[in-house]
Amino acid sequence: MFADHAKIIIKSGKGGDGHVSFRREKYVPNGGPDGGDGGRGGDVIFEVDKGINHLSDYRHHRKFAATDGEEGKKKRMHGKDGEDLILKVPEGTVIKDAASGKVIADMSGDNARVTVLEGGKGGLGNQHFATSRMQAPKYAQPGGESVEIEVELELKVLADVGLVGFPNVGKSTLLSRLSNAKPEIANYHFTTLHPILGVVDLDDGKSFVMADIPGLIEGASEGVGLGHEFLRHIERTKLLVHLVDGASVEGRDPITDIRAINAELVQYSEVLAEKPQIIVLNKMDAYTDNADELIARVKSAFPDKDYEVFAVSAVSGDGIRNLLFTIAERLEDMEEAPIVYEAEFDPMNAARGQLSYTVEKNKDGEYVVEGPKIDKMLGYTNLESEKGFLFFQKFLKEQGILEKLEEMGIEDGDTVRMYGLVFDYYK
């Protein structure tokens, strides 16, 4: 089954903890610390694979995780790094944060490989914490935490031209006439159940990509019918070719249909609604009245749009060549650069923000500092050692805690409380 949308949970690897050990060898009675560093956790990387065109692999498998880094070892041996997780996606996949809907990465253009989540850094072994005063440190640094988020994958096809219109107006027939695509064609609604791409080759050696978008119906922008599932696929297109049944074979009025489809585009996205359109009256081989009069009537119904209107028959080929050259000319005047969505959300920055802190002044006048990162830092820092205390001071400065305390009006001699630690503040 074709799949162009999926929600998955991705998780980077945790960094391996630093190791605590001491050199123990014959004839070396006072061996120093030799705990090795932990390995780095694996990253989560998305990579374009041009050999696939759907997201089916992510519809039934929901959780994906890189491996953790190994703990450091004795004899200053480094723990093994975790393996990166590489997730293959088709070109045109947009990765969004599921909670906010913001774009993390658009796997289009130059974005063929993007690291979305970074693995935790490996912790330092106790060999790094030895000083002249503390020659046998019994603590090491834990590895950096892993990061887990839910992301939404949306495939937005990369096409220059999008064919839109109600079901059974002849979009698949037109695409097969213009391009190398071989869509299924039958005389019933919703023959096309997923977007179909075709490459249109021009006489001058140039080409463009055209997409047959499954037929829209009224209410599609609100989730009615199949069309809503595929509106995203015309967001990248530069030009819309709007097909209607000009001969009213099924009793539909072409002007009413144009208004209805455009209303769905407006409801879905103002940007989408403003894309340039060419109106194509199809099935004109079955039209018995004057085609020029119908073209004039369509143009007069949309005086503010200045639509170019063509009468064609996708079955017989009448009018197709003129339409093709017009599409090519319109594209020639447009920017060639593909539409790539800008990143709006950095999950790593968000994860760092979750490790923030709070500073409050309690009823006893004490400044209380709390937060998961602080609690973790105090768990592996030996404040009785000179190096440990300097590390503690540096941490408070880098995290902005000292600056925050000063903003709140702390003065020399005031009490600061951090979980089980209580100390007097002096600048």
Side-chain angles (χ1 to χ4, degrees), residues 180-407:
N180 58 0
K182 304 297 180 186
E184 180 182 352
I185 299 172
N187 188 29
Y188 53 86
H189 289 182
F190 300 120
T191 303
T192 303
L193 298 179
H194 57 80
I196 296 173
L197 299 182
V199 177
V200 180
D201 294 314
L202 305 175
D203 294 339
D204 58 3
K206 296 182 179 180
S207 64
F208 61 85
V209 178
M210 179 177 284
D212 174 12
I213 309 300
L216 303 179
I217 63 173
E218 291 179 83
S221 60
E222 300 172 358
V224 178
L226 296 176
H228 173 259
E229 292 298 316
F230 304 104
L231 277 166
R232 69 174 68 95
H233 291 298
I234 51 178
E235 289 185 78
R236 292 191 198 271
T237 56
K238 302 172 184 176
L239 175 68
L240 299 181
V241 173
H242 191 155
L243 250 68
V244 291
D245 180 357
S248 301
V249 173
E250 296 188 351
R252 308 186 65 92
D253 177 60
I255 294 175
T256 302
D257 282 0
I258 293 169
R259 288 196 175 114
I261 293 298
N262 283 346
E264 294 304 320
L265 299 181
V266 171
Q267 285 291 104
Y268 183 79
S269 165
E270 288 285 353
V271 175
L272 196 58
E274 292 301 317
K275 286 187 180 293
Q277 286 189 30
I278 291 176
I279 304 297
V280 178
L281 306 173
N282 191 27
K283 303 187 180 182
M284 294 300 286
D285 54 310
Y287 191 70
T288 56
D289 294 333
N290 189 311
D292 290 337
E293 290 182 1
L294 177 59
I295 290 173
R297 184 160 65 89
V298 171
K299 286 184 175 181
S300 64
F302 304 95
D304 58 326
K305 294 295 187 181
D306 193 27
Y307 286 138
E308 290 185 89
V309 182
F310 293 84
V312 307
S313 170
V315 172
S316 69
D318 290 343
I320 294 297
R321 186 171 181 80
N322 191 25
L323 171 63
L324 176 61
F325 283 120
T326 300
I327 293 172
E329 288 175 2
R330 292 287 295 273
L331 291 175
E332 191 75 27
D333 296 333
M334 297 177 182
E335 294 183 11
E336 293 187 8
I339 299 171
V340 179
Y341 297 96
E342 295 292 330
E344 305 169 312
F345 181 81
D346 184 343
M348 294 308 301
N349 279 342
R352 294 180 189 108
Q354 292 171 2
L355 298 173
S356 59
Y357 59 85
T358 59
V359 181
E360 297 178 352
K361 193 173 183 179
N362 65 19
K363 61 182 180 179
D364 297 323
E366 297 176 330
Y367 290 84
V368 181
V369 183
E370 294 182 334
K373 195 167 186 178
I374 297 168
D375 185 30
K376 183 176 179 180
M377 182 275 301
L378 291 173
Y380 67 79
T381 305
N382 183 357
L383 298 180
E384 295 180 1
S385 73
E386 179 184 9
K387 191 164 186 176
F389 188 73
L390 290 174
F391 174 78
F392 171 67
Q393 287 183 313
K394 183 180 179 182
F395 172 85
L396 296 182
K397 183 176 181 179
E398 289 178 346
Q399 297 298 314
I401 296 172
L402 295 181
E403 183 179 355
K404 181 65 176 179
L405 288 170
E406 290 172 6
E407 287 178 1

Side-chain angles (χ1 to χ4, degrees), residues 57-278:
D57 291 344
Y58 303 103
R59 292 297 292 268
H60 304 294
H61 187 181
R62 283 264 298 152
K63 293 186 176 181
F64 299 84
T67 59
D68 297 338
E70 288 186 352
E71 181 183 349
K73 307 177 187 305
K74 58 186 178 180
K75 296 184 179 180
R76 306 194 176 200
M77 292 179 64
H78 197 286
K80 183 181 178 182
D81 290 341
E83 290 186 12
D84 295 336
L85 173 67
I86 299 176
L87 300 176
K88 301 292 185 70
V89 293
E91 187 175 16
T93 300
V94 179
I95 305 164
K96 297 181 179 180
D97 172 51
S100 66
K102 293 182 178 180
V103 175
I104 297 173
D106 181 354
M107 306 302 293
S108 308
D110 295 332
N111 296 336
R113 182 181 172 95
V114 177
T115 299
V116 172
L117 296 181
E118 297 172 3
K121 292 182 179 179
L124 300 176
N126 70 332
Q127 60 171 311
H128 295 280
F129 298 97
T131 66
S132 58
R133 296 186 180 182
M134 174 62 67
Q135 297 183 9
K138 296 181 180 179
Y139 60 91
Q141 188 181 42
E145 293 294 334
S146 61
V147 178
E148 179 178 297
I149 62 167
E150 184 178 31
V151 295
E152 190 171 3
L153 306 181
E154 282 188 352
L155 176 58
K156 299 175 188 283
V157 299
L158 298 172
D160 301 299
V161 179
L163 295 175
V164 298
F166 274 91
N168 206 31
V169 295
K171 297 190 303 299
S172 296
T173 305
L174 179 63
L175 181 66
S176 67
R177 168 74 66 172
L178 292 176
S179 74
N180 58 0
K182 304 297 180 186
E184 180 182 352
I185 299 172
N187 188 29
Y188 53 86
H189 289 182
F190 300 120
T191 303
T192 303
L193 298 179
H194 57 80
I196 296 173
L197 299 182
V199 177
V200 180
D201 294 314
L202 305 175
D203 294 339
D204 58 3
K206 296 182 179 180
S207 64
F208 61 85
V209 178
M210 179 177 284
D212 174 12
I213 309 300
L216 303 179
I217 63 173
E218 291 179 83
S221 60
E222 300 172 358
V224 178
L226 296 176
H228 173 259
E229 292 298 316
F230 304 104
L231 277 166
R232 69 174 68 95
H233 291 298
I234 51 178
E235 289 185 78
R236 292 191 198 271
T237 56
K238 302 172 184 176
L239 175 68
L240 299 181
V241 173
H242 191 155
L243 250 68
V244 291
D245 180 357
S248 301
V249 173
E250 296 188 351
R252 308 186 65 92
D253 177 60
I255 294 175
T256 302
D257 282 0
I258 293 169
R259 288 196 175 114
I261 293 298
N262 283 346
E264 294 304 320
L265 299 181
V266 171
Q267 285 291 104
Y268 183 79
S269 165
E270 288 285 353
V271 175
L272 196 58
E274 292 301 317
K275 286 187 180 293
Q277 286 189 30
I278 291 176

